[in-house]
Amino acid sequence: MFKTIKNDLPASIVVFFVALPLCLGIALASGAPLFSGLIAGIVGGIVVGSLSGSHIGVSGPAAGLAAIVLTAIGALGGYQNFLMAVVLGGAIQILFGILKAGIIGYYFPSSVIKGMLTGIGIIIILKQIPHFFGYDADPEGDLAFMQVDGENTFSEIFNALKYISPGATAVAVLGLGILVLWDKVLIKKAKFFQLVQGPLVAVIVGILFYAITKDNSYWGISTDHLVKVPIPEDTASFLAQFSFPNFSVITQPEIWITAFTIALVASLETLLCVEATDKLDPERRVTPTNRELLAQGTGNMISGFIGGLPITQVIVRSSANIQSGAKSKLSAIIHGFFLLISVILIPRLLNMIPLSVLAAILFIVGYKLAKPALFFKMYDLGWKQFIPFTVTVLGIIFTDLLIGIGLGLGVGIVVILIKSYQNSHFLHIQDKSNGFHKIKMTLAEEVTFFNKGAILKELEGLPKDTYLELDVRNTRFLDYDIIEILDDFSYKALERNIHITLIAEKGTVENPARFMDYINLRPNNNKRKTA
């Protein structure tokens, strides 16, 4: 793992600057103590990063859980009661891993995963526009369309244009210029520019800008537009920021319901992120999903024990990690140590970082996830890929991550049904002579109730006086619903003078009365093994 430290160390710095405001913002949006977000980020980096089998994924507090956390803290009677649910949720995730539930992540279509990445890229850009101009009414990390400040994604942008902060905007533009120059020009000039990342330079420039202009009435940046890390006065006050679960409420049904909800949503978000980051990984490595659930469950138990928010693998930090050239999970682990050390040693320095500079960094992350060329590529792949992709993107922008993915998955299932309808059989008109039609119909390898409509339509469309040859020799599974359709058609065929020849593995039969006697209802596993 340490062989790639020259790549992982610079990447970890970028991830640190991306994670810092998100940890704080998600805690604020969740109605939890600010320090709880930092705890989750630290545990997600160090603990989950160490246990995970993902090479480039980064874990921490997730925006998708903010609404659940906000509701649960109030409903369960306090934050310590909620922490008990987090601990139990982690234990349930470990159980999911033991039961090998990680396979669920492989059942999401590629078009939906690509739509998720693109949708998140667009929503990152849209959500960072207000912060770029120095308007920070909505906390960092809120990715839902309806925001915690009562606005929505687009109304917030219009509000931001009314309250532009000249200083915050100027340093954001300066930071964005540095990032583009670094990425497009300087990084190709010398090795130094590969080791020292552009985001680090942009943040340093932002701190210097704030320090130089803080007394200027026009260009000065208000403290409302800076990072807000809690600053303890001494060791005792630092330790006081940690909270511990109230174990006395472990028998309450509400605690278990919340725990299961956290486990289910956190696991689903993690599995989706794993699938997405694996697609982004330049080396195309595959993350063991069951091990990931075990790592996430362990992380959530530890986070809950010491006062942290629930943890998932998160796409914003993971994509920033990949884009910054990380090669191994050392980057995620180091970023967790950076969070820990910085909040202990330099919280005042961190609180001099303008949020607008961090918005500029996230602009680049968002753009690389949602490049316009991807839309054209998906369009060229055909409507069966483009429609689920587009629905997922729009769903994420106008609702939230999980609803958007659910909409995309729903459309993907409809596409599967349509394809199943189209591909249930192959129809060949072989000959047409003497007014007597000769038609051959070959059924697919597996035919289920999804195919009922297509097969029924073709059978009903056969003209009178037809010779039908039905070939099921390659059919390994035929749903009972299809058997019923064939039996009903056999009866009607007599009235329409349709002659049926069934060609099956058991032999050839003319006008069978019962198709079940000649067709397999269940998959023939032995034949599959032989094949």
Side-chain angles (χ1 to χ4, degrees), residues 70 103 149 237 241 243 313 325 375 514:
L70 181 64
I103 195 173
D149 66 342
S237 59
Q241 296 179 101
S243 301
Q313 190 176 126
F375 285 89
R514 278 172 47 89

Side-chain angles (χ1 to χ4, degrees), residues 88-132:
L88 294 175
I92 294 171
Q93 280 188 289
I94 292 175
L95 181 61
F96 286 165
I98 294 172
L99 296 176
K100 301 189 183 303
I103 195 173
I104 294 171
Y106 297 123
Y107 286 93
F108 288 86
S110 175
S111 57
V112 173
I113 298 300
K114 291 175 182 175
M116 179 185 93
L117 291 169
T118 304
I120 290 175
I122 294 172
I123 204 70
I124 287 171
I125 294 171
L126 294 174
K127 292 292 187 179
Q128 291 305 315
I129 290 174
H131 297 295
F132 188 90

Side-chain angles (χ1 to χ4, degrees), residues 64-85:
L65 288 168
I68 295 173
V69 175
L70 181 64
T71 303
I73 292 173
L76 298 179
Y79 190 65
Q80 290 183 317
N81 293 352
F82 169 74
L83 291 179
M84 187 68 252

